[in-house]
Amino acid sequence: MVPPLNFAMVSPGVYRSGFPNPRSHPFLLQQRLRTIIYVHDGDCQTYHQQFIRDNDINYKHFRVAANREPFVEMDHAMVAEILAELLDTRNHPVLVHCNRGIRRVGCLVGCVRKLQGWAMTAIFDEYQRFSGTKIRIADQEFIEVFKSPAHMEVQHPAAVVAGQAE
């Protein structure tokens, strides 16, 4: 079994990765995913859409542009919407992926870590472990300034935000 590129558990029931290829589909089936969230401004590959349909997995596609210097930034409202879907236990187990599992997903996971109360140095360390030489200061700045909407804490059980199993 082959996991997708940059596959990892974020917290119980929440996984991250790069774009799954057909070789990684058996691995994903073992995770018994209920939902797959794709964050990218492009279209999803046909073979992946077929895998999702064939296995009755909920699919959500958010067209998110990557942070780019000097003036392109991920939309804060859309990121909040993605986080709400990601942390909603009705969607678990859930996989969130972009193409390589580095930048867009790295920003989303960084925002989850902020909700979990992680120190910024630990958040950036995790981001850098996945990004390798592809570190973008714009991503780290986005994570640092992102503020979660006030309603997010109410809608999602504290155990999920804290990264604990229910």
Side-chain angles (χ1 to χ4, degrees):
M1 301 258 180
V2 179
L5 178 69
N6 287 321
F7 181 86
M9 179 186 283
V10 176
S11 62
V14 180
Y15 303 96
R16 67 174 290 165
S17 78
F19 200 95
N21 63 45
R23 289 185 43 205
S24 63
H25 287 166
F27 176 84
L28 293 179
L29 286 174
Q30 275 195 331
Q31 308 313 309
R32 297 188 173 156
L33 298 173
R34 183 176 294 161
T35 308
I36 292 178
I37 299 173
Y38 180 41
V39 290
H40 191 268
D41 49 5
D43 293 328
C44 184
Q45 298 290 329
T46 305
Y47 68 82
H48 192 51
Q49 290 175 354
Q50 188 64 47
F51 166 77
I52 290 165
R53 277 192 303 275
D54 289 349
N55 292 286
D56 198 29
I57 299 170
N58 298 323
Y59 172 69
K60 300 172 191 238
H61 182 182
F62 292 90
R63 293 186 181 274
V64 179
N67 296 311
R68 288 194 179 95
E69 294 289 348
F71 302 116
V72 177
E73 183 176 84
M74 293 171 71
D75 180 87
H76 285 254
M78 186 175 290
V79 168
E81 185 179 348
I82 296 166
L83 290 175
E85 294 291 338
L86 194 59
L87 298 176
D88 186 338
T89 56
R90 294 172 295 185
N91 293 325
H92 292 181
V94 58
L95 171 70
V96 61
H97 73 84
C98 55
N99 278 350
R100 288 178 283 163
I102 295 174
R103 305 205 38 250
R104 291 170 182 91
V105 166
C107 287
L108 289 168
V109 171
C111 292
V112 168
R113 299 306 188 204
K114 279 185 80 169
L115 291 172
Q116 292 174 327
W118 282 31
M120 290 307 298
T121 53
I123 293 170
F124 292 158
D125 181 60
E126 181 180 45
Y127 172 88
Q128 291 171 359
R129 278 196 314 271
F130 283 92
S131 64
T133 60
K134 306 260 187 225
I135 295 169
R136 292 225 175 138
I137 299 302
D139 289 341
Q140 293 177 322
E141 288 172 350
F142 179 87
I143 295 166
E144 190 169 14
V145 301
F146 181 80
K147 297 207 183 321
S148 66
H151 70 278
M152 190 164 291
E153 300 293 336
V154 175
Q155 289 184 345
H156 305 288
V160 174
V161 173
Q164 304 165 357
E166 290 189 328

